[in-house]
Amino acid sequence: MGSQSNLTAAALLFLACALSSCLYILHLSSRDTTVVRSVYAEMNKNKTRGQVVCGHAGEQQDKSAETKEALPESFYVSDFPRDLKCTISPERRFDCARDGVLGQRACEDRGCCYGPHSNSTGPPWCFYPSLYPGYKLGPFTPTTRGQAATLTRITPSYLPRDVPTLHLEVIEETSGCLHLTFRDPSSRRYEVEFPAGVPQGNDEKQDFLYTTEYQSDPFGFIVRRKSNGRVIMNTTVAPLLFSDQYLQLSTTLASSLVSGLGQHYTSLLLDLNWTSLTLWNEDTAPHANANLYGSHPFFIVQEDNGLAHGVFLLNSNAIEVTLQPAPALTWVALGGILDLYIFLGPDPQTVIRQYLQVIGYPMMPPYWSLGFHLCRWGYTTSNITRQVVQRMHNAKFPMDVQWNDLDYADKRRVFTFDPQRFGDLPDMVEEFHKQGLKYILILDPGISSTSAPGTYPPYDEGLKRDVFIKNASGHVLIGKVWPGPTAFPDFTNAETRRWWENCIRDFHAQVKVDGLWIDMNEPSNFVQGSVDGCPDSDLESPPYTPRVVGGQLNSRTICMSAQQKFSSHYNLHNVYGLSEAFATYSALKKLRGKRPFVLSRSSFPGIGGFSGVWTGDVGSDWEQLRYSIPAVLQFSFFGVPLVGADICGFKGNTTEELCVRWMQLGAFYPFMRNHNENQNTPQEPYVFGVKAQAAMRNVLHLRYSLLPFLYTLFHHAHTSAETVARPLFMEFPLDPRSQTIDQQFLWGSSLLVSPVLKQGAVELTAYLPPGTWYSLHNGQPTYSKGQYMLLSAPLDTINVHLREGHIIPRQEPALTTTASRRNPFFLTVGLSAEGRAWGDLFWDDGDSLETFKMGNYSYIIFTAGQSKVVSETLKLNGDLEGLMLGGLQVFGVPSPPLYVLANGAKVRDFTYHADTKVLTVTSLNLQMSEVFTVQWVL
């Protein structure tokens, strides 16, 4: 009886599907809906219309019932019954009422479907039917850069100030990069311009990795991976909307493994369960469900079989990204244009390189900036600052850079120093320099506006040179920050950049700072908009505002209607920090003639070319410690390798255990700084107990020993867009277990870092990808098939493993990089099962400009095989002169050597540990600038 019922139900279901398909075919033929297929490898050939099938253009047949139904009955007389056209599975619903809560009648008046359910935070109640009316695609015509077409909307959308006609341009930037732009041909709208221009790729545009298809009415496009036909993007699932202050584009996703879309307090993989992320720079301490200091509208998707792709929306307006479990995504931008880049990889690291070819490769940091930095808001005098440095030195903690927060400034005004508390600041800085240390101080963008005329040159000169942002009535906009009422420089103005350079030059003539810390540059404002408020306008209160901290776009910042050289602040807000970083970097470069060091809080794509970034005002707790790892890894995606979190936490009181564990993790942030808030208990390394100090000192020594390797990684980031701190999936894209890990990470491809992130833990379960991994501490091998291992982790230990087949260059540590750079090198070699390994070293003077471009550097590769390590000098300058190879460690030597040879001569000083199979050779004294061979005879 049950079997017969099942058969009957199946037959009825089949008949219903058949009837629906027939009706759908008739509907398509009556509407003349077409799919235009375009294969970019055959660009400039005549485009032909593809065959229309039951289902989405280019989509699988089983999705057709959900995604290819008739247009809303409010637009056409002939249509499917509403219950059929609205039968869309909840996870595939696209929100038709993002701008407000609509009842059934208002929803259906828009031609949308209404389907309430019990979950108020899940799928939308009001959602688009398939083939919702939108733009119609005209014929493509060739352009100088690709091809173009006109999109025309016959029926207006429900949005105010709809744009009825769009210009679509499709550009094949490279074989792995597709670029689409949607513009309003009747009105020039703001488009992002990178400060230093957009770099151009040198790809020959052969063997394209993608194909494209276009649905003509309503318009949509599909991008496939050419090698396997996988749909990378499908925008036919929901309508393209384009109005003056609301631009919307939805797409399916190829996988649920999505990362990026920073800056937010999230895990490495984003939650696709109906979450929204707002990209709007704001002075907000990291916490969940909040827009933070930076905006990076880029994401990377892990596909099957180790493949990956990325998508970048070049738009600086406020952006909301909605993620849903289909999986799918919807972009909403509140202005500008839709400027979309799609990167086909095919592997994750290549995706990042393709992205950086658009936004720019990161700058090469000075060597000293990779050392340990110490800062606190609360070093209230120059003598207190001196004492901190002296106590660090006395306790023998390596340190390279001492910082001061705004304590140094006279009445908190930048470009000044307090004559009583910091009257001898220039002398203090010179003392630090004689000790081999560097000095950095904070520089906020807000310029005090209340000093008596003629007493504060930065403001007086700024007024004369018309460098400040104006309010809507044309007067200087006044906000309020640390010094009180303040004006804000407009860094999009070339005259402002020249004024800024002059201010830095005048201050540097007194205080020889080595770098600048640009904070509060979202820009932050302690009053909403301005001291005079903001006008009532659509810029201040647009028709749609995404969820932002404070509820309005001008919360904690300046008015959206404020006027800058390029455009309104409404369009430029998210690039304020980037424009200040460019101005500061350029000024330091011109002034000092050396590599600039700039650290910015606010960020936008391209900032890595001018600045490092720290993750903001993190709290002193274990959760914030854990979330600092995905935060750092995401900035690696965004082209900002010089990144770190405030070690031990900025807000709140740390504990000894937390601070030890954070120092251990922080030793593997690319940028390492301990920073603390003024009212908190001290957290300098020397304030803790003997055992805690020893643990911190050991991990600092470990970092300093690894700086030649870290510096080489930065060279590859600067020249080849490789990542420094790297998630496991980027190095092991074929390993499913590596896809989700964000509590461990890699330095380059060689070192696996597995920190303790839980209070009280003295062991941890860590994942080791397939292969042999050697403990960097003692060379103990672990043979993994791709599995989790229980590792011992007492308070004085952070687990770091060297991957088989890799060689890392190291140096004996010292208290500063000035001293350590003169110490002997040594190599740590992790042999593969075949007895092979490889590594390299980039070396220059650590501070000069464009050494790679000018050829003023040394580059050495190291190769292990046939029981020997050989160096090969590919490029040599004088910076390695006099530096020696003092020794090496070789992990994985199968048996005790009979003897060891260095350049053919027997070596006396070597040991072999049979339990760990580690060969240690010391007292080599070989010139690094000359080719050498170290051989062990078994």
Side-chain angles (χ1 to χ4, degrees):
M1 193 69 177
S3 175
Q4 185 175 357
S5 298
N6 290 341
L7 288 172
T8 303
L12 290 173
L13 179 62
F14 174 78
L15 289 171
C17 291
L19 178 60
S20 175
S21 298
C22 291
L23 288 170
Y24 176 65
I25 292 170
L26 290 172
H27 170 74
L28 287 180
S29 61
S30 66
R31 290 294 303 142
D32 192 28
T33 302
T34 59
V35 176
V36 181
R37 300 185 187 274
S38 171
V39 180
Y40 270 85
E42 300 177 6
M43 178 72 90
N44 298 325
K45 290 187 178 181
N46 292 330
K47 305 295 184 286
T48 59
R49 295 192 176 197
Q51 182 180 1
V52 178
V53 297
C54 288
H56 258 304
E59 276 287 290
Q60 305 252 339
Q61 179 71 27
D62 61 2
K63 299 180 182 178
S64 61
E66 298 169 2
T67 55
K68 269 288 190 183
E69 287 141 72
L71 299 171
E73 59 191 16
S74 59
F75 286 84
Y76 296 101
V77 176
S78 177
D79 202 355
F80 288 137
R82 180 171 295 279
D83 59 345
L84 282 180
K85 73 184 181 69
C86 293
T87 306
I88 297 176
S89 61
E91 71 272 12
R92 296 182 182 276
R93 294 181 177 182
F94 290 87
D95 197 348
C96 183
R98 196 176 307 275
D99 54 330
V101 178
L102 300 184
Q104 181 171 356
R105 180 171 180 177
C107 173
E108 292 178 352
D109 283 347
R110 289 186 173 184
C112 291
C113 304
Y114 189 78
H117 54 82
S118 59
N119 186 356
S120 61
T121 60
W125 289 19
C126 182
F127 55 96
Y128 298 108
S130 297
L131 293 180
Y132 187 84
Y135 290 94
K136 183 174 182 179
L137 175 68
F140 276 104
T141 58
T143 69
T144 57
R145 302 200 302 165
Q147 56 181 353
T150 297
L151 303 180
T152 305
R153 175 183 282 281
I154 299 174
T155 306
S157 76
Y158 52 84
L159 297 172
R161 296 191 300 280
D162 211 14
V163 178
T165 302
L166 297 177
H167 178 78
L168 165 66
E169 187 173 18
V170 184
I171 306 159
E172 47 169 3
E173 298 285 0
T174 68
S175 62
C177 174
L178 177 63
H179 183 191
L180 300 94
T181 59
F182 299 81
R183 294 181 173 92
D184 178 357
S186 65
S187 176
R188 181 167 176 78
R189 300 170 62 85
Y190 177 72
E191 300 183 25
V192 177
E193 296 182 17
F194 289 114
V198 178
Q200 299 296 320
N202 54 8
D203 192 272
E204 294 298 323
K205 299 184 181 180
Q206 296 177 355
D207 299 324
F208 289 90
L209 302 181
Y210 50 82
T211 64
T212 57
E213 303 164 14
Y214 299 93
Q215 179 175 274
S216 64
D217 187 12
F219 169 78
F221 65 89
I222 297 168
V223 180
R224 293 180 181 272
R225 185 174 295 283
K226 186 179 178 182
S227 62
N228 59 13
R230 182 71 176 266
V231 174
I232 300 302
M233 290 187 68
N234 179 0
T235 71
T236 68
V237 292
L240 166 67
L241 299 177
F242 199 118
S243 69
D244 184 40
Q245 290 182 274
Y246 188 99
L247 289 65
Q248 177 177 295
L249 182 69
S250 299
T251 179
T252 59
L253 295 168
S255 144
S256 296
L257 302 173
V258 182
S259 300
L261 298 174
Q263 182 184 2
H264 298 94
Y265 188 74
T266 65
S267 59
L268 188 63
L269 289 182
L270 298 175
D271 180 6
L272 270 60
N273 189 25
W274 301 105
T275 57
S276 289
L277 301 171
T278 300
L279 278 60
W280 186 246
N281 296 0
E282 190 163 336
D283 179 0
T284 302
H287 65 281
N289 303 315
N291 52 302
L292 302 181
Y293 313 100
S295 293
H296 295 269
F298 165 80
F299 64 86
I300 183 170
V301 180
Q302 301 177 61
E303 306 170 36
D304 297 331
N305 303 317
L307 300 174
H309 68 271
V311 177
F312 173 43
L313 177 61
L314 179 53
N315 185 297
S316 62
N317 289 87
I319 291 175
E320 180 181 67
V321 184
T322 300
L323 302 162
Q324 61 192 76
L329 171 151
T330 297
W331 299 96
V332 173
L334 270 57
I337 67 168
L338 292 176
D339 194 352
L340 198 69
Y341 292 82
I342 305 160
F343 309 106
L344 273 292
D347 59 272
Q349 183 62 63
T350 303
V351 170
I352 302 304
R353 184 175 298 112
Q354 291 164 343
Y355 175 45
L356 267 58
Q357 285 173 351
V358 172
I359 67 171
Y361 286 11
M363 53 85 183
M364 185 67 182
Y367 193 96
W368 55 262
S369 69
L370 305 184
F372 179 60
H373 301 241
L374 184 59
C375 184
R376 180 174 185 171
W377 178 17
Y379 295 150
T380 54
T381 70
S382 57
N383 282 337
I384 289 175
T385 309
R386 284 187 178 95
Q387 291 168 16
V388 169
V389 171
Q390 189 61 48
R391 292 186 69 179
M392 287 291 290
H393 181 80
N394 292 345
K396 294 184 169 28
F397 286 107
M399 184 177 82
D400 262 79
V401 193
Q402 179 61 48
W403 296 49
N404 273 120
D405 208 314
L406 203 55
D407 307 274
Y408 77 89
D410 183 19
K411 301 174 185 175
R412 296 182 169 180
R413 299 174 303 173
V414 294
F415 300 117
T416 71
F417 55 92
D418 188 282
Q420 279 76 44
R421 295 179 297 106
F422 281 86
D424 61 347
L425 179 60
D427 296 333
M428 184 191 79
V429 175
E430 287 303 314
E431 292 166 19
F432 291 167
H433 288 164
K434 290 177 181 177
Q435 298 172 47
L437 296 171
K438 306 296 182 182
Y439 179 74
I440 292 171
L441 47 69
I442 197 168
L443 183 63
D444 293 341
I447 301 297
S448 174
S449 62
T450 57
S451 300
T455 64
Y456 185 44
Y459 185 67
D460 295 335
E461 285 297 310
L463 282 179
K464 290 178 184 177
R465 298 170 70 169
D466 194 23
V467 305
F468 297 121
I469 295 175
K470 305 289 182 56
N471 60 24
S473 61
H475 299 96
V476 173
L477 182 143
I478 302 298
K480 189 175 183 181
V481 202
W482 296 114
T486 53
F488 297 87
D490 174 13
F491 294 104
T492 67
N493 185 346
E495 182 62 20
T496 305
R497 296 193 293 271
R498 288 188 286 267
W499 161 85
W500 189 250
E501 179 187 317
N502 292 342
C503 291
I504 293 174
R505 177 184 292 107
D506 292 344
F507 186 76
H508 190 270
Q510 301 177 75
V511 184
K512 306 295 185 187
V513 296
D514 298 287
L516 289 169
W517 168 24
I518 52 175
D519 193 10
M520 306 292 288
N521 57 341
E522 292 74 29
S524 180
N525 188 3
F526 296 165
V527 296
Q528 185 165 345
S530 80
V531 294
D532 300 315
C534 301
D536 184 12
S537 70
D538 284 342
L539 292 181
E540 307 298 339
S541 301
Y544 177 72
T545 300
R547 184 175 62 189
V548 295
V549 175
Q552 291 182 261
L553 295 183
N554 56 25
S555 297
R556 304 189 184 188
T557 191
I558 65 177
C559 298
M560 296 297 100
S561 55
Q563 294 301 304
Q564 299 184 233
K565 181 75 171 180
F566 279 6
S567 186
S568 67
H569 194 72
Y570 179 88
N571 292 323
L572 295 170
H573 173 81
N574 278 347
V575 298
Y576 190 85
L578 170 63
S579 63
E580 186 197 14
F582 173 66
T584 308
Y585 178 92
S586 301
L588 287 174
K589 181 179 179 180
K590 188 173 181 180
L591 175 64
R592 298 178 70 247
K594 298 178 180 179
R595 265 175 243 171
F597 176 88
V598 180
L599 186 75
S600 176
R601 188 170 72 180
S602 174
S603 62
F604 188 79
I607 199 168
F610 316 109
S611 178
V613 168
W614 92 105
T615 61
D617 296 345
V618 296
S620 297
D621 61 63
W622 292 89
E623 181 187 272
Q624 297 266 346
L625 171 70
R626 288 191 292 274
Y627 274 97
S628 73
I629 297 178
V632 166
L633 296 179
Q634 286 188 53
F635 273 104
S636 292
F637 300 156
F638 303 150
V640 190
L642 190 66
V643 58
D646 284 343
I647 291 169
C648 303
F650 176 75
K651 299 176 72 68
N653 294 323
T654 191
T655 65
E656 182 170 275
E657 181 191 5
L658 174 62
C659 203
V660 168
R661 292 307 193 188
W662 212 321
M663 282 285 285
Q664 290 171 342
L665 170 59
F668 291 91
Y669 292 154
F671 168 66
M672 185 185 188
R673 183 183 71 160
N674 180 321
H675 182 38
N676 192 9
E677 198 170 19
N678 57 356
Q679 68 264 33
N680 300 335
T681 56
Q683 60 189 37
E684 295 84 1
Y686 55 72
V687 304
F688 297 103
V690 173
K691 290 184 178 179
Q693 287 194 41
M696 294 179 178
R697 191 178 297 109
N698 287 342
V699 80
L700 280 169
H701 286 160
L702 176 58
R703 179 184 178 90
Y704 272 65
S705 77
L706 291 168
L707 288 184
F709 171 60
L710 180 60
Y711 190 63
T712 301
L713 292 179
F714 270 97
H715 161 70
H716 292 305
H718 174 61
T719 60
S720 305
E722 295 188 11
T723 48
V724 176
R726 187 175 301 178
L728 272 64
F729 79 79
M730 295 197 72
E731 194 62 31
F732 301 95
L734 290 169
D735 177 20
R737 291 184 176 177
S738 293
Q739 292 176 333
T740 61
I741 291 174
D742 65 2
Q743 297 193 4
Q744 301 168 256
F745 59 98
L746 294 153
W747 264 13
S749 58
S750 307
L751 288 184
L752 176 62
V753 182
S754 306
V756 170
L757 303 172
K758 295 181 180 179
Q759 184 176 6
V762 293
E763 59 185 15
L764 79 154
T765 301
Y767 180 72
L768 301 184
T772 301
W773 295 89
Y774 298 99
S775 167
L776 193 63
H777 173 62
N778 59 15
Q780 179 72 47
T782 301
Y783 308 100
S784 175
K785 296 180 181 178
Q787 61 202 95
Y788 285 88
M789 304 283 188
L790 186 63
L791 305 177
S792 175
L795 188 63
D796 64 351
T797 299
I798 180 171
N799 280 276
V800 184
H801 288 84
L802 176 63
R803 185 181 178 188
E804 64 169 316
H806 291 260
I807 300 173
I808 55 174
R810 303 172 68 178
Q811 239 174 342
E812 295 294 336
L815 294 184
T816 66
T817 57
T818 303
S820 69
R821 281 177 57 88
R822 298 192 292 262
N823 283 349
F825 284 85
F826 63 100
L827 303 178
T828 301
V829 182
L831 295 178
S832 67
E834 298 77 27
R836 300 186 180 278
W838 185 93
D840 62 343
L841 171 69
F842 174 85
W843 197 256
D844 57 14
D845 67 8
D847 216 13
S848 293
L849 296 167
E850 298 183 339
T851 57
F852 180 72
K853 181 178 180 180
M854 304 298 292
N856 189 20
Y857 65 94
S858 295
Y859 184 67
I860 302 173
I861 61 172
F862 309 103
T863 307
Q866 299 178 331
S867 299
K868 60 184 176 183
V869 174
V870 179
S871 74
E872 181 181 358
T873 304
L874 300 186
K875 187 83 173 62
L876 187 65
N877 73 343
D879 293 320
L880 274 175
E881 197 67 37
L883 294 177
M884 313 303 289
L885 179 72
L888 52 81
Q889 293 175 297
V890 187
F891 300 158
V893 177
S895 59
L898 299 175
Y899 54 89
V900 175
L901 302 174
N903 290 341
K906 281 192 175 182
V907 174
R908 290 185 177 182
D909 297 326
F910 73 91
T911 58
Y912 179 80
H913 292 275
D915 55 340
T916 56
K917 302 186 184 305
V918 174
L919 169 66
T920 302
V921 184
T922 58
S923 304
L924 284 177
N925 211 34
L926 301 174
Q927 291 279 351
M928 287 291 292
S929 58
E930 298 177 0
V931 173
F932 60 77
T933 300
V934 179
Q935 182 176 12
W936 54 97
V937 179
L938 303 178

